[in-house]
Amino acid sequence: MKDYYYFLGVSEDASEEDIKKAYRKLSLKYHPDKNDNDDFFAERFREIQEAYETLSDSGRRKSYDQNLESHQKSFRYNVPPAIKTFTANKIHAKKGEEIIINWQTSNADIVKVLPFGLEKAYGERVFKITEFKDGKFQLLLHVTNSLLHKTIVQGITITEVFENDSEKFRTNVEDLFKSQPRTIANPKGQPKIIKIIVALMILAAALYFLIKSF
């Protein structure tokens, strides 16, 4: 059963105003139009909308709360969560190649497969990797028993393979010019090539002043 409170990042006793504020904040962050229609953000946006539509309606929320409570009580509260299996059909893949992952868990009421989001306690997902980061794609299975406040995590790393050296070189060059995620150190999300150029300019200036001083 999907945990809509978890989707919105609010507690189960959250007020209508708290739910509305959380929805507005998350919908702005994950809206596909602001994230180049990325599938990951589109899926998160759909989950956020689904959660808000249920929790913002008093009648639907009351029915949902009853079902959620019944669902949580069905779990063995004194047994920690466990991951029985978490596998991928391949750990080396080319960009755009199809990957199949399978998982099976127990004693968990919250199961996440990142970067995809909340999933059922067991299942299968088929997807294609459109982007690797530094030649790798990381999958993480988070399994939580919320009644015990215990979570375990297991990962799978898929490494990128290339048809030939020229393809690898082209990919590396494209990565240099691609915008990076915005961080405190890189608030504008500038490409790696900008950092390299700035570093070379600083080095050249340092060498110039060093030579001039002699």
Side-chain angles (χ1 to χ4, degrees):
M1 183 176 182
K2 295 181 178 179
D3 189 337
Y4 291 147
Y5 293 103
Y6 177 84
F7 283 1
L8 295 179
V10 298
S11 63
E12 293 182 16
D13 60 352
S15 66
E16 292 183 13
E17 186 62 27
D18 289 337
I19 290 171
K20 186 179 293 186
K21 287 181 180 179
Y23 169 71
R24 287 174 177 171
K25 180 179 179 180
L26 292 173
S27 61
L28 286 173
K29 178 180 179 181
Y30 289 102
H31 198 287
D33 291 347
K34 294 190 175 183
N35 295 283
D36 300 322
N37 291 312
D38 185 280
D39 289 343
F40 169 77
F41 288 97
E43 181 64 25
R44 298 293 77 71
F45 185 70
R46 283 193 291 271
E47 290 177 340
I48 292 164
Q49 282 189 309
E50 181 182 333
Y52 178 69
E53 287 172 1
T54 298
L55 299 183
S56 61
D57 183 291
S58 58
R60 293 176 64 182
R61 181 179 181 181
K62 183 177 180 180
S63 177
Y64 171 78
D65 286 346
Q66 291 173 345
N67 291 332
L68 180 64
E69 183 180 5
S70 175
H71 178 73
Q72 290 176 334
K73 287 181 178 179
S74 69
F75 286 95
R76 299 166 64 187
Y77 68 90
N78 61 339
V79 179
I83 297 174
K84 294 182 177 179
T85 60
F86 184 42
T87 60
N89 66 327
K90 57 188 72 175
I91 57 172
H92 304 287
K94 293 178 290 186
K95 187 179 294 185
E97 191 171 357
E98 190 174 88
I99 306 293
I100 304 173
I101 58 172
N102 293 271
W103 66 93
Q104 185 173 3
T105 69
S106 61
N107 310 318
D109 56 334
I110 300 176
V111 176
K112 293 188 296 180
V113 178
L114 299 179
F116 307 116
L118 290 171
E119 299 283 359
K120 294 181 179 179
Y122 60 90
E124 176 181 289
R125 178 180 276 267
V126 181
F127 65 98
K128 294 181 180 180
I129 301 177
T130 57
E131 291 294 335
F132 286 85
K133 184 175 182 180
D134 298 326
K136 296 179 180 180
F137 185 86
Q138 185 75 41
L139 294 158
L140 293 174
L141 174 61
H142 287 242
V143 179
T144 300
N145 183 326
S146 63
L147 301 178
L148 277 181
H149 302 291
K150 288 189 177 181
T151 298
I152 58 174
V153 181
Q154 185 173 325
I156 296 176
T157 299
I158 299 174
T159 56
E160 185 176 13
V161 295
F162 302 90
E163 292 285 357
N164 48 55
D165 291 338
S166 62
E167 182 184 350
K168 183 176 182 180
F169 175 76
R170 184 175 65 253
T171 300
N172 289 337
V173 171
E174 290 175 350
D175 186 56
L176 286 176
F177 290 89
K178 184 172 62 178
S179 296
Q180 300 297 304
R182 295 185 179 185
T183 62
I184 296 176
N186 187 9
K188 295 183 179 181
Q190 294 179 330
K192 293 179 181 179
I193 190 67
I194 300 298
K195 291 184 177 181
I196 294 174
I197 292 173
V198 171
L200 289 174
M201 291 176 63
I202 293 174
L203 178 61
L207 288 173
Y208 171 77
F209 288 112
L210 181 62
I211 295 172
K212 188 177 181 180
S213 65
F214 281 102

